[in-house]
């Protein structure tokens, strides 16, 4: 990403007084038209970001380079994007560090990929696996656009493979520090993830529903090669602040997904068993998912 004067070929974000946003790619000689008149790209190129420009009909627009959090919520989509609040949690709680090799299953529209590439830095690697070619194409274009890669080229730290991680990752023979599973059935990839992770590595799943959450957590427990999985979600609420009028805002980013993390044990090692007894009915006759060892079927009422 760049700093300094705006350059031809860069993307900028225009924001008007009503909060309406426009993302445009700067091209010499072009004009961007809005309902408040037009603006010449040449009037933006060469200026430091953070200025206001007035359109031909008097509309005022703030001009900045787009932040990653702004870009991902407005990017073209093939699949649903990982929202910034969840991407931030993944980077922090999956401990994505500079120089890490991160494997991502389910590239979607490339939103999380951008955050992972930022976090691993120039000496890290992100290996993404996507089953659907049409999603992979959208992700390529979005990553290229955000990082400013020349057309047809990809980020130097990124490798995108069209295929199933459960088959392609074992075939590659690669090891990973972190594995992120953003897919419909992440439990299907757990064995491949376990084999590829270095001891102490982290697997992180991003799932939308409680049934997916339960199935993945119980599969991790039954596997035996990971620590006790931790599950959570994050909710973000904005606040209105104006003098003495300080109150919660009227909009909130509520449930988007659940996150689950667990750490890989060394080969042949197992984490201590949970001492707390399961809640009554947790593994009753209606439960048909993976069952931890030593947990009997509870009798029906």
């Amino acid at each position: 990403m760049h700093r300094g004067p705006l350059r031809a070929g860069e993307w900028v974000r225009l924001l008007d007084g009503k909060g309406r946003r426009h993302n445009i790619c700067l091209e010499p000689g072009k004009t961007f038209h809005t309902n408040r008149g037009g603006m010449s790209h040449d009037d933006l190129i060469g200026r430091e970001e953070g200025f206001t420009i007035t359109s031909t009909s008097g509309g005022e627009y703030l001009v900045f380079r787009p932040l990653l959090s702004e870009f991902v919520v407005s990017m073209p989509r093939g699949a649903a994007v990982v929202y910034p609040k969840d991407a931030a949690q993944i980077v922090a709680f999956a401990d994505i560090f500079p120089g890490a090799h991160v494997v991502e299953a389910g590239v979607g529209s490339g939103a999380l990929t951008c955050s992972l590439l930022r976090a691993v830095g120039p000496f890290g690697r992100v290996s993404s696996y996507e089953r659907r070619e049409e999603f992979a194409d959208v992700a390529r274009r979005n990553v290229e656009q955000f990082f400013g890669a020349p057309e047809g080229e990809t980020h130097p730290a990124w490798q995108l493979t069209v295929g199933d991680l459960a088959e392609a990752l074992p075939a590659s023979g690669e090891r990973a520090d972190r594995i992120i599973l953003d897919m419909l059935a992440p439990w299907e990839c757990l064995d491949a993830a376990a084999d590829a992770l270095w001891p102490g590595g982290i697997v992180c799943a991003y799932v939308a529903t409680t049934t997916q959450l339960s199935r993945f957590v119980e599969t991790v427990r039954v596997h035996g090669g990971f620590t006790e999985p931790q599950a959570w979600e994050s909710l973000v609420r904005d606040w209105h602040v104006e003098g003495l009028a300080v109150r919660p805002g009227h909009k909130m980013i509520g449930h988007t997904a659940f996150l689950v993390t667990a750490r890989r044990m060394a080969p042949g090692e197992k984490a201590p068993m949970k001492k707390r007894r399961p809640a009554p009915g947790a593994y009753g006759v209606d439960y048909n998912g993976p069952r931890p060892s030593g947990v009997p079927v509870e009798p029906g009422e």
Side-chain angles (χ1 to χ4, degrees), residues 28-301:
K30 280 202 167 185
T31 300
F32 177 68
H33 296 278
T34 73
N35 61 346
R36 299 296 305 277
M39 290 164 283
S40 171
H41 290 209
D42 293 334
D43 291 338
L44 280 64
I45 295 172
R47 297 186 63 178
E48 294 279 357
E49 62 180 316
F51 61 91
T52 300
I53 188 170
T54 303
S55 66
T56 54
S57 295
E60 290 189 326
Y61 295 84
L62 278 171
V63 182
F64 283 95
R65 292 183 175 94
L67 302 175
L68 176 55
S69 59
E70 296 170 337
F71 175 74
V72 298
V73 296
S74 60
M75 63 166 48
R77 303 184 184 187
V81 301
V82 175
Y83 269 71
K85 73 179 183 69
D86 295 320
Q89 297 269 311
I90 291 170
V91 169
F93 289 99
D95 194 37
I96 310 298
F97 58 90
H101 179 205
V102 180
V103 170
E104 174 192 27
V107 73
S109 297
L112 179 60
T113 308
C114 291
S115 292
L116 296 176
L117 287 168
R118 274 268 187 90
V120 302
F123 302 109
R125 282 194 300 144
V126 176
S127 301
S128 300
Y129 293 84
E130 174 56 57
R131 291 175 176 175
R132 298 178 60 173
E133 180 70 56
E134 63 269 31
F135 289 172
D137 289 339
V138 172
R140 284 191 195 98
R141 290 193 295 271
N142 285 331
V143 172
E144 289 169 8
Q145 176 180 329
F146 183 72
F147 287 102
E151 188 173 351
E153 297 184 17
T154 60
H155 191 291
W158 187 38
Q159 178 182 346
L160 175 59
T161 300
V162 178
D164 190 337
L165 177 139
E167 300 173 358
L169 183 58
S172 72
E174 289 197 316
R175 305 296 300 275
D177 299 297
R178 307 288 186 261
I179 295 182
I180 315 298
L181 304 176
D182 173 13
M183 54 198 306
L184 187 64
W187 49 87
E188 295 178 354
C189 293
L190 189 62
D191 287 338
D195 291 342
L197 276 172
W198 291 104
I202 296 174
V203 62
C204 175
Y206 175 93
V207 292
T209 69
T210 54
T211 51
Q212 290 173 300
L213 174 65
S214 175
R215 179 72 177 270
F216 182 74
V217 166
E218 296 299 347
T219 302
V220 172
R221 287 192 178 122
V222 169
H223 183 279
F226 291 91
T227 59
E228 175 67 13
Q230 302 296 313
W232 76 98
E233 68 172 335
S234 64
L235 311 174
V236 176
R237 181 174 66 181
D238 70 326
W239 277 72
H240 172 89
V241 180
E242 195 173 52
L244 295 177
V246 180
R247 55 173 174 75
H250 296 305
K251 59 183 178 180
M252 178 178 183
I253 304 176
H255 174 74
T256 50
F258 299 104
L259 294 169
V260 183
T261 56
R263 298 195 72 177
R264 184 71 170 102
M265 300 291 294
E269 299 291 329
K270 290 187 178 293
M273 293 285 292
K274 282 183 62 177
K275 299 299 183 182
R276 184 173 61 83
R277 294 178 59 188
Y283 297 98
V285 292
D286 293 329
Y287 176 76
N288 57 9
R291 187 177 299 276
S293 59
V295 177
V297 177
E298 298 177 17
E301 296 182 357

